[in-house]
Amino acid sequence: MPPAGRLLLAALAVQAVAAFEPVSVAIAIGAASALTGYLSYKDLYCRFAECCREKQPLNASALKLELEEKLFGQHLATEVILKALTGFRNNPNPKKPLTLSLHGWAGTGKNFVSQIVAENLHSKGLKSNFVHLFVSTLHFPHEQQIKLYQDQLQTWIRGNVSACASSMFIFDEMDKLHPGIIDAIKPFLDYYEQVDGVSYRKAIFIFLSNAGGDLITKTALDFWRAGRKREDIQLKDLEHVLSVGVFNNKHSGLWHSGLIDRNLIDYFIPFLPLEYTHVKECVRAEMRARGSTVDEDIVTRVAEEMTFFPKDEKIYSDKGCKTVQSRLDFH
């Protein structure tokens, strides 16, 4: 049988049992591998099922392009996330997991960035079996059950990193997380080669929080009032302020946390408040995503419907780009 025919037969054999249990899939793949004679079990299996590809390099150019084209007004986040991820994934032997803490008001792009990162690391993005999203108000709602949540969190992370060393964990609404819960994962973020036989060094942890939004806005306003461009703001202008601010904030999820005490968070990444021009960019991007022709009249009307602060200057959108989708529905 010619190679093309054997490959087609192999594909049909796998697809025929893809809806069944893993044992059946494994048997079919074994038969298909024998038929093709040149496809390994893993290669063929990974064509039809999601695999944990720990050694797959990050396409830094694709990530850079996506961040620059889709994330508006966030030069610091774009620069730091790109460098942090590229350096981490290019390091064959990291000494600890990569831990990023993203801060800023709602609608500035934190969730959007975590989605972009997930899609660039795992083909199925947030739907991947190797990407895990925790939402504080959904998964950890009751203050009286902190110990239970800590135990469950440790078990879940240990099990999933055992299955895929390059697993990604996203903690949303950190500012609504009860104090102490997040410290349950401290051993996993530390500089240990293994914890109970499991290495966490290739995993990625991302925290998303509104905490520190006031500190970020104050710095941005200071630059604006001094006649300086927002692009002049550097990470050093905000990172220390953020780490100290959330450490002393009882509503940050990181209040007096050992993660900060032990310097286990690699980067505190500020998301700046968005200006009128950035809101317009969000509207244009949403129109393109819907397959619509960009109508500048509609772009302007949607942007002007947003409310801006401070009261006198009206520089920053108080909801960022969060309500752009729903407002665009009315036009």
Side-chain angles (χ1 to χ4, degrees), residues 217 220-222 224-226 275-276 307-317:
T217 297
L221 266 175
D222 287 345
W224 185 86
R225 287 168 176 162
E275 300 175 11
Y276 178 77
T307 53
F308 293 81
F309 73 97
K311 184 178 180 181
D312 294 330
E313 293 98 334
K314 296 189 183 336
I315 308 166
Y316 305 120
S317 168

Side-chain angles (χ1 to χ4, degrees), residues 27 50 155 218 229 239 264:
I27 292 171
E50 185 185 22
T155 300
K218 181 182 182 305
K229 297 184 296 184
E239 191 170 32
L264 299 181

Side-chain angles (χ1 to χ4, degrees), residues 126-188:
L126 294 177
K127 295 180 181 179
S128 170
N129 292 326
F130 312 121
V131 177
H132 311 278
L133 173 64
F134 300 99
V135 181
S136 296
T137 52
L138 176 63
H139 296 104
F140 316 110
H142 305 298
E143 189 173 7
Q144 64 272 26
Q145 294 186 12
I146 288 179
K147 182 63 172 66
L148 173 63
Y149 296 148
Q150 289 176 325
D151 292 343
Q152 289 176 337
L153 198 50
Q154 287 186 342
T155 300
W156 181 261
I157 292 175
R158 184 184 300 112
N160 282 285
V161 173
S162 298
C164 179
S166 58
S167 291
M168 176 178 170
F169 301 91
I170 303 169
F171 292 82
D172 194 10
E173 298 184 346
M174 278 292 293
D175 47 299
K176 297 180 176 64
L177 187 67
H178 299 298
I181 291 180
I182 202 63
D183 277 53
I185 69 172
K186 177 179 170 290
F188 306 151

Side-chain angles (χ1 to χ4, degrees), residues 19-259:
F20 296 96
E21 74 283 355
V23 174
S24 299
V25 175
I27 292 171
I29 290 174
S33 298
L35 284 168
T36 60
Y38 57 83
L39 284 175
S40 71
Y41 173 94
K42 185 173 182 180
D43 286 341
L44 190 55
Y45 180 82
C46 292
R47 293 192 180 195
F48 299 95
E50 185 185 22
C51 290
C52 176
R53 299 183 181 273
E54 298 174 21
K55 297 180 181 180
Q56 181 173 326
L58 173 70
N59 187 336
S61 297
L63 175 60
K64 181 176 185 291
L65 183 64
E66 193 165 8
L67 287 172
E68 290 177 346
E69 289 187 348
K70 296 181 179 180
L71 183 64
F72 307 120
Q74 304 299 353
H75 68 285
L76 286 175
T78 297
E79 178 184 352
V80 177
I81 289 169
L82 181 63
K83 288 183 177 179
L85 282 173
T86 303
F88 181 73
R89 288 302 291 264
N90 287 343
N91 184 353
N93 186 31
K95 300 302 181 186
K96 67 178 290 298
L98 178 63
T99 307
L100 307 176
S101 194
L102 280 50
H103 297 266
W105 294 129
T108 51
K110 302 184 300 297
N111 289 82
F112 186 51
V113 161
S114 67
Q115 177 184 328
I116 290 175
V117 171
E119 290 170 350
N120 277 269
L121 295 178
H122 298 280
S123 59
K124 292 189 176 181
L126 294 177
K127 295 180 181 179
S128 170
N129 292 326
F130 312 121
V131 177
H132 311 278
L133 173 64
F134 300 99
V135 181
S136 296
T137 52
L138 176 63
H139 296 104
F140 316 110
H142 305 298
E143 189 173 7
Q144 64 272 26
Q145 294 186 12
I146 288 179
K147 182 63 172 66
L148 173 63
Y149 296 148
Q150 289 176 325
D151 292 343
Q152 289 176 337
L153 198 50
Q154 287 186 342
T155 300
W156 181 261
I157 292 175
R158 184 184 300 112
N160 282 285
V161 173
S162 298
C164 179
S166 58
S167 291
M168 176 178 170
F169 301 91
I170 303 169
F171 292 82
D172 194 10
E173 298 184 346
M174 278 292 293
D175 47 299
K176 297 180 176 64
L177 187 67
H178 299 298
I181 291 180
I182 202 63
D183 277 53
I185 69 172
K186 177 179 170 290
F188 306 151
L189 306 189
D190 217 324
Y191 291 82
Y192 298 123
E193 187 170 347
Q194 290 188 343
V195 178
D196 294 332
V198 179
S199 174
Y200 297 86
R201 291 182 167 189
K202 293 187 177 181
I204 294 177
F205 294 81
I206 298 181
F207 306 138
L208 311 178
S209 179
N210 289 350
D214 55 337
L215 302 173
I216 297 168
T217 297
K218 181 182 182 305
T219 298
L221 266 175
D222 287 345
F223 270 70
W224 185 86
R225 287 168 176 162
R228 301 175 66 185
K229 297 184 296 184
R230 66 190 281 127
E231 289 77 18
D232 292 337
I233 302 174
Q234 300 180 39
L235 187 63
K236 65 181 182 181
D237 295 317
L238 279 165
E239 191 170 32
H240 179 69
V241 172
L242 272 179
S243 64
V244 172
V246 298
F247 182 79
N248 292 315
N249 183 348
K250 289 186 177 181
H251 304 289
S252 69
L254 290 166
W255 180 60
H256 290 183
S257 171
L259 274 61

